Amino acid sequence: MTRRARRFRTVLTVLSAWSVLAGAALVGAAPASGAPRAVAVAPGVEYSQFDIQAAKGLTHAHVLSVDLSHPQVGVGLLYPGKVASRATVSRLAAAAGAVAGVNGDFFNITETQHPGVAATGAPVGPAIAAGHALKAAVPKGQRFGPALPPGTATTDVLGVTTDGTARLDRIALDGSVTTAEGDLPLRGLNQYALPVGSVGAFTSDWGSVSRLRAVCGTDTDRAAPCSTDTHEVLVEDGRVVGTAGTPGSGSIAAGATVLVGREAGAQQLRKLAPGDTVEVQHLLVSSTGTPYAFALGGYPVLRGGQPLPGLDGTTSAVRTAAGVADGGRRLLLLALDGAATYRTGLTIAEVATTMRGLGSVDAFSLDGGGSSTLVARAPGASAVTVRNHPSDGTERAVPNGIGVFTKP
């Protein structure tokens, strides 16, 4: 057994008070008795599974330990190539060549409150892939998922910096639209919901899904009616080439930008006509000024080794979470099992305690329920397999995830 495998085994043993048991590496295998056991997925990447006796019953955890200091290891954003698109974690991992991964951010999964408006499938929070800014965060009142803990926001991210260090941060949009009459603030980038009265930008990263959802709801009420005061402008090569009164759909050409405005933002965009010059600038900026190679949304549950105040300790569910350990040089990825035996899951407060017990100093909650999925290659295998039981019975298509990669 390697030194790192022994350390991971020791960390898991700390959870013996929760009846942590060893788990076989096979998908869905029943936990065996004995000490916890880590199985090497690839150099620097280990997989374990174990039981947790939680407040509302037995649950089963699947964990990846990723050594970011290992020269052959890296992590990145798994996504289908467009923001407004979804695929299963196993398909995303296979397409990207990942050796393991978990599901990611909460997302616009349904639009029952707005009949006739297409659910975009786009994630809630910011997303960065290979250093490229894909999208910014929606307003807090427009998010999907459980209530946020006090003091957290949709701009919270888990990311890995360009030097390979994992950390929690906040990422906000810094953008503007420059016209002959002056500058307009840009309040959205490839996001399914725009702030009331704002202008947002959509690029080729968005995809072909309708942009109408962006003008529905308000900053405090996701179910509020769609705005009737809207306008859309197509900008190519620095000039307006088209306008429309209602947000449209269809692919956006590389290098082009569609500006969507609602209320006051729409009124500003109506001043633009074909041929007018327009410059659109946007940048995702972290609160620490740190550049990120990869980042995605969710919300923090553990900071500096302490659970956040006000975490829900009542509602149990199947969960996915990520933890940061060893000064950001180790990433822990956890997904609970959705099989009927274990489906009571954990409360968010228990997730924080579990991640701390695994050695995390900071931890981040990702989408759960039917989205919770952990995939990994078995020793000697060339493709990933699903290691937990998704609670829907089959894998749910999701907008993004965390991929674990190795190189020679």
Side-chain angles (χ1 to χ4, degrees):
M1 181 180 291
T2 66
R3 179 181 179 183
R4 185 161 295 278
R6 286 196 301 271
R7 180 175 65 182
F8 191 54
R9 177 173 175 173
T10 300
V11 170
L12 291 179
T13 304
V14 172
L15 295 177
S16 59
W18 280 7
S19 301
V20 178
L21 304 177
L26 299 177
V27 178
S33 60
R37 174 165 68 92
V39 177
V41 173
V45 183
E46 296 170 341
Y47 164 71
S48 290
Q49 54 175 314
F50 52 90
D51 284 345
I52 299 171
Q53 187 59 54
K56 295 191 177 179
L58 186 70
T59 193
H60 194 67
H62 301 255
V63 175
L64 293 166
S65 176
V66 184
D67 181 3
L68 297 176
S69 67
H70 196 290
Q72 293 177 260
V73 174
V75 297
L77 188 74
L78 297 177
Y79 79 110
K82 300 296 179 184
V83 169
S85 183
R86 296 194 290 157
T88 62
V89 177
S90 59
R91 181 172 295 182
L92 293 174
V99 299
V102 297
N103 65 289
D105 199 358
F106 301 87
F107 61 96
N108 175 206
I109 190 172
T110 181
E111 278 304 320
T112 54
Q113 306 98 331
H114 305 114
V117 176
T120 66
V124 168
I128 296 174
H132 174 65
L134 292 174
K135 70 174 299 289
V138 303
K140 186 174 182 178
Q142 291 270 21
R143 67 182 297 276
F144 286 74
L148 289 175
T152 62
T154 55
T155 52
D156 282 307
V157 297
L158 166 77
V160 173
T161 64
T162 51
D163 70 356
T165 303
R167 61 188 301 172
L168 304 190
D169 208 334
R170 283 189 174 178
I171 291 180
L173 175 65
D174 181 8
S176 63
V177 179
T178 301
T179 72
E181 294 192 3
D183 288 352
L184 303 175
L186 188 70
R187 300 283 303 283
L189 174 64
N190 292 326
Q191 55 199 60
Y192 68 79
L194 294 174
V196 172
S198 72
V199 173
F202 291 81
T203 70
S204 59
D205 288 324
W206 171 254
S208 60
V209 174
S210 171
R211 298 175 289 276
L212 181 59
R213 175 60 185 83
V215 299
C216 297
T218 68
D219 301 355
T220 57
D221 183 3
R222 192 181 75 201
C226 300
S227 175
T228 57
D229 186 3
T230 64
H231 199 70
E232 181 172 276
V233 171
L234 174 61
V235 179
E236 293 182 351
D237 297 322
R239 291 190 179 275
V240 175
V241 298
T243 65
T246 304
S249 61
S251 299
I252 300 170
T257 301
V258 173
L259 297 175
V260 174
R262 57 179 298 176
E263 298 88 33
Q267 295 164 28
Q268 293 294 325
L269 292 184
R270 287 193 191 98
K271 298 177 182 179
L272 299 174
D276 287 352
T277 59
V278 176
E279 182 183 5
V280 182
Q281 295 182 319
H282 48 77
L283 184 68
L284 293 185
V285 180
S286 71
S287 63
T288 59
T290 305
Y292 284 88
F294 141 75
L296 83 171
Y299 59 89
V301 296
L302 186 72
R303 287 189 190 276
Q306 297 299 316
L308 268 65
L311 293 181
D312 177 21
T314 302
T315 306
S316 294
V318 176
R319 313 279 185 181
T320 301
V324 177
D326 297 349
R329 308 309 295 177
R330 184 161 61 103
L331 188 64
L332 293 162
L333 302 175
L334 173 146
L336 298 183
D337 206 288
T341 304
Y342 309 113
R343 200 169 294 168
T344 51
L346 298 175
T347 68
I348 288 298
E350 289 174 327
V351 169
T353 302
T354 299
M355 298 309 291
R356 182 171 60 180
L358 288 169
S360 302
V361 174
D362 301 313
F364 201 68
S365 179
L366 299 166
D367 192 11
S371 297
S372 286
T373 309
L374 185 148
V375 302
R377 289 185 186 176
S382 60
V384 299
T385 52
V386 180
R387 297 306 183 98
N388 67 330
H389 291 92
S391 59
D392 287 348
T394 58
E395 277 190 88
R396 175 183 288 174
V398 296
N400 60 28
I402 300 172
V404 181
F405 301 88
T406 63
K407 57 186 178 181

